[in-house]
Amino acid sequence: MAKLTKKQKEAHAKIDRSQSYDLSAASALVKDITNVKFDASVELAVRLGVDPRKANQMVRGVVTLPHGTGKDVKVLALVTPDKEAEATEAGADYVGLDEYLQKIKGGWTDVDVIITMPAVMGKLGPLGRILGPRGLMPNPKTGTVTMDVAKAIQDVKAGKIDFKVDKTGIVHAAIGKVSFEASKIAENANELLQTIIKLKPTTAKGVYVKSVFMSSTMSPSISVDVKSV
């Protein structure tokens, strides 16, 4: 195991491992223990009492964070020519169709979200092996396959994110930046957690939210008191 640096030791020393923190305290603490020279992302890791291998226990959803993610989200709009002006006006960073399909085929995936229309999904199918592993495949359930392209782009730019429980039963999601006020980090975290709670599968038995941890880029994680959620 690698040795901790002086700053890492100081960060660990500020966390009381014998207790869990409410969202407000955890949000203030994550700012205090982050000492990188860039605006670090703040993330939540939520362990759920579900079995993701069962389709009826898959937890997946979307949430619009009240204060956004703090990230400049790059959006590719794969649309037909009649929708290009609408997509551009809504703020998409890249707009087009066939030329971008060719670029993706060649391995280009330098975007955060792809928004498209139902009529275009047939062309995207063969690119699933490239887009799927990167979490870029558009999906009607997350609002990224729609005829209302402008609204979808605006929502993503405003802080709408999608999340999905992984094979180990954990939801990982970025909820802001360390530069945010602690109250805004807490409010974003609460919005995500409340959305996850609402999505509890009826087939999930026992404790649903098992643990919640907050951390920033390269910081130690902070245990969040599940009862305070």
Side-chain angles (χ1 to χ4, degrees):
M1 184 176 174
K3 283 187 176 181
L4 296 177
T5 64
K6 182 181 177 182
K7 286 185 177 179
Q8 287 173 328
K9 287 179 181 176
E10 289 173 355
H12 279 274
K14 290 178 180 178
I15 301 172
D16 183 351
R17 294 295 178 189
S18 68
Q19 69 158 317
S20 293
Y21 298 79
D22 64 29
L23 280 177
S24 296
S27 300
L29 184 56
V30 79
K31 288 172 65 68
D32 189 33
I33 65 173
T34 301
N35 49 43
V36 292
K37 294 181 179 179
F38 54 90
D39 192 7
S41 294
V42 178
E43 299 185 350
L44 278 191
V46 187
R47 182 179 292 279
L48 301 177
V50 298
D51 184 351
R53 294 171 299 178
K54 297 178 179 176
N56 60 5
Q57 291 194 34
M58 172 56 66
V59 177
R60 179 174 191 168
V62 295
V63 61
T64 299
L65 301 175
H67 304 291
T69 62
K71 182 181 179 182
D72 182 19
V73 182
K74 286 191 283 187
V75 176
L76 164 62
L78 293 174
V79 295
T80 49
D82 59 306
K83 287 279 188 178
E84 287 185 359
E86 180 184 327
T88 301
E89 192 175 327
D93 300 273
Y94 307 99
V95 179
L97 186 53
D98 291 335
E99 68 271 34
Y100 284 107
L101 292 174
Q102 284 302 315
K103 285 184 73 172
I104 293 169
K105 208 172 189 178
W108 179 79
T109 55
D110 190 24
V111 293
D112 299 301
V113 178
I114 297 176
I115 289 169
T116 191
M117 307 155 56
V120 176
M121 280 304 288
K123 293 187 175 185
L124 272 176
L127 301 176
R129 59 185 177 79
I130 298 172
L131 299 178
R134 293 168 177 77
L136 289 173
M137 194 65 173
N139 188 315
K141 292 181 180 178
T142 61
T144 48
V145 180
T146 176
M147 287 303 293
D148 196 346
V149 171
K151 184 178 185 304
I153 293 167
Q154 289 162 356
D155 284 349
V156 167
K157 290 284 188 178
K160 181 179 177 181
I161 61 170
D162 65 282
F163 57 86
K164 183 172 74 169
V165 67
D166 66 17
K167 61 184 180 181
T168 64
I170 301 174
V171 172
H172 294 273
I175 56 160
K177 296 284 188 177
V178 166
S179 60
F180 283 17
E181 294 171 15
S183 60
K184 291 184 177 180
I185 294 173
E187 287 168 15
N188 276 2
N190 185 61
E191 191 71 22
L192 172 65
L193 290 168
Q194 294 305 321
T195 302
I196 291 173
I197 289 168
K198 288 175 186 173
L199 291 172
K200 179 182 179 181
T202 55
T203 53
K205 305 300 181 186
V207 178
Y208 177 50
V209 179
K210 290 190 168 183
S211 66
V212 180
F213 283 89
M214 183 182 291
S215 63
S216 67
T217 309
M218 297 172 69
S219 86
S221 57
I222 301 162
S223 175
V224 176
D225 183 5
V226 175
K227 293 176 184 175
S228 71
V229 174

